[in-house]
Amino acid sequence: MAQAQACPQIEADAEQALKARLSDQKWRLNNLYSIINKDGQRVGFRMNQAQETLFDEMWYLNIILKARQFGGTTFTDIYYLDSCLFNSNHAAGIIAHHRDDAAKIFETKVLYPWRNMHPDLRRAAITETKHELVFDNNSSIRVGTSMRSSTLQKLHSSEFGKTCAKYPDKAREIV
């Protein structure tokens, strides 16, 4: 029995289609990342309506008023991770109001989606700590209670209202 030969044109078309998809950030966000949902199950991340509106209307400064459980932090942190993975020389930071929350946010909203990507798509991390991922494309994403000594392309301050109320000096430093 003759062995089937791969069709070079079909393979080239499939590769071109994959490259087109991977060049589309909205597609990547909705197809490449996994999260743990409210029921404790691993699921593929899919933008909900509020997240999609934020993505579509994003500007250089976005203020999200206090709204629980719409996934603002999850979306923002996966968006930042994706931006660092697919863009060279890109730095993103996430500020939390205290260290425990910073570590939890980083573990669940950055490291988990990154570690659970398809291995062929995951860029090699040069450094992986409890607070930072540095990638081989010279991009990085980190979390902390401040972002001093950094030039960032993206910054997310989680629970900034709480930081303002409890730590006004820290809030002024962030601003």
Side-chain angles (χ1 to χ4, degrees), residues 45-113:
F45 175 76
R46 302 286 182 275
M47 284 188 264
N48 63 34
Q49 186 175 1
Q51 294 163 337
E52 191 164 349
T53 298
L54 177 58
F55 179 84
D56 291 340
E57 297 178 6
M58 200 171 296
W59 198 42
Y60 78 95
L61 175 64
N62 300 283
I63 298 173
I64 302 168
L65 300 178
K66 185 77 170 168
R68 284 266 178 231
Q69 301 300 312
F70 91 90
T73 297
T74 299
F75 165 76
T76 301
D77 297 350
I78 290 175
Y79 172 75
Y80 286 8
L81 173 63
D82 183 84
S83 296
C84 290
L85 286 170
F86 287 89
N87 295 285
S88 297
N89 306 311
H90 204 82
I94 303 159
I95 297 176
H97 62 286
H98 59 73
R99 286 188 192 276
D100 290 344
D101 279 357
K104 183 178 178 183
I105 287 169
F106 196 64
E107 179 65 35
T108 60
K109 312 291 186 204
V110 176
L111 290 178
Y112 186 87

Side-chain angles (χ1 to χ4, degrees), residues 26-165:
K26 192 173 198 175
W27 183 90
R28 292 192 315 258
L29 290 171
N30 282 307
N31 291 279
L32 299 183
Y33 302 97
S34 295
I35 60 171
I36 300 295
N37 70 10
K38 295 175 187 177
D39 298 323
Q41 300 169 325
R42 177 184 168 177
V43 297
F45 175 76
R46 302 286 182 275
M47 284 188 264
N48 63 34
Q49 186 175 1
Q51 294 163 337
E52 191 164 349
T53 298
L54 177 58
F55 179 84
D56 291 340
E57 297 178 6
M58 200 171 296
W59 198 42
Y60 78 95
L61 175 64
N62 300 283
I63 298 173
I64 302 168
L65 300 178
K66 185 77 170 168
R68 284 266 178 231
Q69 301 300 312
F70 91 90
T73 297
T74 299
F75 165 76
T76 301
D77 297 350
I78 290 175
Y79 172 75
Y80 286 8
L81 173 63
D82 183 84
S83 296
C84 290
L85 286 170
F86 287 89
N87 295 285
S88 297
N89 306 311
H90 204 82
I94 303 159
I95 297 176
H97 62 286
H98 59 73
R99 286 188 192 276
D100 290 344
D101 279 357
K104 183 178 178 183
I105 287 169
F106 196 64
E107 179 65 35
T108 60
K109 312 291 186 204
V110 176
L111 290 178
Y112 186 87
W114 179 74
R115 289 176 179 156
N116 286 280
M117 286 183 72
H118 190 281
D120 290 343
L121 296 173
R122 192 171 64 208
R123 295 192 69 87
I126 296 170
T127 305
E128 179 182 333
T129 69
K130 291 181 181 181
H131 306 286
E132 183 176 40
L133 279 173
V134 178
F135 301 103
D136 62 357
N137 64 353
N138 199 41
S139 291
S140 64
I141 183 169
R142 69 183 175 113
V143 67
T145 56
S146 74
M147 288 290 137
R148 298 184 121 192
S149 305
S150 296
T151 300
L152 303 170
Q153 282 69 49
K154 293 185 173 30
L155 176 65
H156 174 219
S157 182
S158 181
E159 303 284 350
F160 189 63
K162 189 180 276 188
T163 301
C164 292

